[in-house]
Amino acid sequence: MDLGCLRLSFVATLATFLFFHDFCACQKAAPNYSFMRNATAAKPVSYYDYIVIGGGTAGCPLAASLSQNASVLLLERGDSPYGNPNITNSGSFSAELADLSPTSPSQRFISEDGVISNRARVLGGGTCINAGFYTRAEPYYAREAGWDGRLVNESYQWVEKKVVFRPPMQRWQSALRDGLVEVGVLPYNGFTYDHLYGTKIGGTIIDQNNQRHTAADLLEYANPSGLTVLLHASVHKILFRNKGKARPVAHGVVFRDATGVEHRAYLRNGPKNEIIVSAGALGSPQLLMLSGVGPADHLKAHNITVVLDQPLVGQGMSDNPMNAIFVPSPVPVEVSLLQVVGITQFGSYIEGASGVNFAGGSPSPRPYRGGFIFEKIVGPLSTGHLELRTRNPNDNPSVTFNYFKEPEDLQRCVQGISTIEKIIESKSFSKFKYDNMSAETLLNMTASMPLNLLPKHSNASTSLEQFCRDTVMTIWHYHGGCQVGKVVDHDYKVLGVDALRVVDGSTFYYSPGTNPQATVMMLGRYMGVRILRERLASYNSK
């Protein structure tokens, strides 16, 4: 096996380690969604009040909310998560990450930085393939975004009622929690969804029976007569009208089903009808460019007709770098993932996961003793950009995150790794660490693992700066590309065109909270309610 394959195999193994518990025994009964069907059953031409592109973390709650008082088409390029053994069966998760087929729920991409990552390709989006941790955004996040505080809280609660639970706390996670407190990540805030400095137990989308709940479950809130969900529907282009208009107006989409047959969906006549893009931080800027909204020179280079020269589409891409220390344990540990977080004052979040079975990228029947304690930085400040590789929306775009380009990001990583070293040496964590393994030994062990495609350096264990650079990974919190004030306004309407919005993590300047899924699901619900209120107000004013 060559080094590249070995590194990909290890990342799949590590992701299995992080996500194992999420996918354990998740034979959750599929809801009877009468409105969900394969795109091959779609009419050649159809009409709706709203067309939502992307049935992911934001798109599902958005479509469910809009369906209460309008006709909605939700287009998802992937399959249903229900009954898929590569999602519901924990033993198949590494196979899911290694699956390079066009229909895999997890589509691998490698950033230009050399970091191996994945993007969701399944109804429910990232909530189907993430580590499950649920926590709200910082208190000031909503204020800075200009959101209505009361509706934000109501929207979080709407999500939490359906898909969020309190995690079990067993020995390894309890030791991590106590170690965080012992080394000064204070105060201890107990179990809470709120973002508070100190150490806390957060929520999870994994229930007490180890069954995963996802944003797709939020479609249970939908009005079945108002919603159509099409699976394996790959949107190739948003259609615009220019004739007789001061600005381009979005009025339809072109999508292809799994057999390659082209379909078109159009907006019905109505001043409040819209197309809403919720395809994620990679998919949304990619689709805008493919539709002619983006940097003119870049679009022309790909023979794409320019609808609007918008050079900021694809800019401001960020990903929260993650770095970890692996700690072998002299005693058995539970299978666990993100349940506890230390929210530090210096700008790093510290979490951990323990006890998975694996061997060479595939689960092993032998118990695996040990855990990863990792830190990810707030923000980050470093940013990059996204560009098209091809005109095929199913191909990954080229994305550069520029990890640790800003010195403050690197310093936060160093402080985070230093804090992890203290946790490992704490009395609270002592039973889960071999006495004869020094911090340098553990750093060397971790640095020698094929975590990414970056070159290795011999001084990684003696220089924490080098360790951070050499062992950088992703925690899948990438964002940006369609940011508020640059590509969309504060109502998420695309600047320079009409009847088009973007509602997802691509609009963020930095990732909300310690883990963004709570706020992305909330935003889908929040904007669904806001848009319907605007619609009702327009009708009442007539």
Side-chain angles (χ1 to χ4, degrees):
M1 179 181 293
D2 64 34
L3 182 58
C5 292
L6 178 62
R7 284 169 171 164
L8 293 173
S9 173
F10 184 82
V11 171
T13 299
L14 178 57
T16 303
F17 181 90
L18 291 174
F19 295 169
F20 183 93
H21 186 266
D22 286 16
F23 289 84
C24 182
C26 294
Q27 301 302 324
K28 188 171 177 283
N32 183 22
Y33 287 158
S34 60
F35 47 75
M36 184 171 70
R37 60 188 65 95
N38 197 295
T40 53
K43 296 178 181 179
V45 178
S46 54
Y47 297 86
Y48 299 88
D49 297 329
Y50 296 100
I51 300 171
V52 179
I53 302 170
T57 310
C60 285
L62 175 62
S65 300
L66 291 173
S67 72
Q68 300 304 317
N69 287 290
S71 65
V72 182
L73 173 63
L74 177 61
L75 297 168
E76 167 53 46
R77 70 189 184 121
D79 203 351
S80 165
Y82 303 109
N84 184 333
N86 278 352
I87 294 176
T88 59
N89 182 352
S90 62
S92 299
F93 184 67
S94 61
E96 175 190 26
L97 293 178
D99 181 3
L100 303 180
S101 72
T103 58
S104 170
S106 178
Q107 182 178 1
R108 177 180 293 157
F109 72 94
I110 301 174
S111 75
E112 301 301 319
D113 314 276
V115 173
I116 303 162
S117 192
N118 298 81
R119 57 191 293 213
R121 182 169 45 197
V122 60
L123 187 70
T127 62
C128 296
I129 61 170
N130 68 13
F133 198 69
Y134 181 96
T135 180
R136 296 184 178 190
E138 301 89 332
Y140 57 81
Y141 199 99
R143 292 195 299 269
E144 290 185 354
W147 296 335
D148 176 84
R150 180 174 180 177
L151 181 55
V152 165
N153 285 331
E154 291 174 354
S155 298
Y156 274 127
Q157 292 166 8
W158 183 87
V159 172
E160 289 155 7
K161 181 179 179 181
K162 185 69 68 175
V163 300
V164 188
F165 307 89
R166 180 169 181 164
M169 284 291 293
Q170 299 184 48
R171 295 194 310 157
W172 194 91
Q173 288 286 340
S174 295
L176 175 59
R177 173 199 62 197
D178 296 343
L180 281 161
V181 172
E182 182 180 330
V183 303
V185 185
L186 298 168
Y188 174 57
N189 294 305
F191 169 71
T192 179
Y193 298 149
D194 293 336
H195 186 98
L196 304 167
Y197 283 117
T199 298
K200 74 165 191 172
I201 301 168
T204 178
I205 58 173
I206 311 301
D207 68 20
Q208 288 72 23
N209 297 317
N210 294 336
Q211 295 187 356
R212 170 180 286 269
H213 296 251
T214 75
D217 296 358
L218 299 175
L219 294 173
E220 294 175 18
Y221 282 123
N223 171 15
S225 64
L227 179 62
T228 298
V229 177
L230 295 180
L231 303 174
H232 298 291
S234 179
V235 177
H236 283 242
K237 188 177 183 180
I238 300 167
L239 301 173
F240 293 91
R241 282 197 310 255
N242 292 79
K243 189 175 180 179
K245 304 289 182 181
R247 292 151 44 111
V249 179
H251 72 110
V253 300
V254 177
F255 65 94
R256 294 184 183 273
D257 62 30
T259 67
V261 173
E262 183 177 294
H263 306 257
R264 293 191 176 217
Y266 293 100
L267 295 177
R268 290 173 172 163
N269 289 329
K272 291 297 180 181
N273 296 347
E274 295 178 311
I275 295 170
I276 306 171
V277 183
S278 298
L282 269 62
S284 290
Q286 178 186 27
L287 183 58
L288 289 187
M289 290 185 190
L290 291 173
S291 304
V293 178
D297 290 343
H298 183 55
L299 301 185
K300 291 174 183 177
H302 287 272
N303 294 317
I304 296 171
T305 301
V306 178
V307 173
L308 177 70
D309 181 12
Q310 172 47 288
L312 297 178
V313 173
Q315 298 299 309
M317 297 297 300
S318 295
D319 186 24
N320 300 71
M322 181 185 78
N323 295 81
I325 298 179
F326 173 64
V327 189
S329 173
V331 297
V333 299
E334 76 267 18
V335 174
S336 72
L337 67 148
L338 317 189
Q339 299 177 2
V340 171
V341 62
I343 300 175
T344 70
Q345 295 280 353
F346 56 78
S348 175
Y349 303 136
I350 298 172
E351 298 167 321
S354 66
V356 72
N357 302 332
F358 69 85
S362 300
S364 161
R366 295 188 304 165
Y368 189 79
R369 290 189 180 184
F372 281 89
I373 306 177
F374 52 88
E375 70 81 38
K376 55 196 178 189
I377 67 167
V378 176
L381 298 177
S382 303
T383 63
H385 62 278
L386 176 148
E387 295 179 336
L388 297 176
R389 291 187 191 275
T390 73
R391 293 172 58 180
N392 186 345
N394 297 312
D395 292 342
N396 287 317
S398 168
V399 60
T400 303
F401 294 116
N402 288 322
Y403 298 103
F404 300 127
K405 181 179 180 181
E406 296 296 330
E408 188 173 343
D409 288 343
L410 185 60
Q411 187 55 39
R412 286 172 172 172
C413 176
V414 168
Q415 289 182 273
I417 294 297
S418 178
T419 302
I420 291 173
E421 289 180 321
K422 294 174 184 176
I423 294 168
I424 294 169
E425 297 297 334
S426 70
K427 180 179 179 181
S428 300
F429 200 78
S430 59
K431 68 173 63 176
F432 296 108
K433 171 191 172 293
Y434 284 97
D435 290 338
N436 62 347
M437 283 195 172
S438 66
E440 184 174 350
T441 299
L442 295 176
L443 288 172
N444 275 327
M445 181 184 301
T446 305
S448 67
M449 295 174 174
L451 303 172
N452 52 44
L453 303 184
L454 296 169
K456 303 300 179 184
H457 297 84
S458 59
N459 65 331
S461 65
T462 56
S463 165
L464 291 186
E465 288 85 355
Q466 196 63 57
F467 179 85
C468 287
R469 292 191 185 98
D470 284 4
T471 65
V472 62
M473 295 177 283
T474 182
I475 193 68
W476 302 279
H477 294 173
Y478 45 84
H479 52 279
C482 297
Q483 292 171 319
V484 172
K486 294 183 177 180
V487 176
V488 300
D489 66 15
H490 286 275
D491 292 318
Y492 301 94
K493 296 179 180 179
V494 177
L495 298 167
V497 301
D498 290 330
L500 182 64
R501 300 193 204 219
V502 178
V503 177
D504 60 23
S506 71
T507 65
F508 296 162
Y509 281 84
Y510 59 97
S511 186
T514 66
N515 301 70
Q517 71 168 347
T519 302
V520 177
M521 285 189 281
M522 180 282 295
L523 181 61
R525 169 60 177 176
Y526 177 93
M527 286 306 299
V529 173
R530 282 276 310 276
I531 292 169
L532 282 184
R533 286 178 179 176
E534 292 173 9
R535 186 180 191 87
L536 180 61
S538 71
Y539 289 144
N540 290 339
S541 65
K542 291 181 180 178

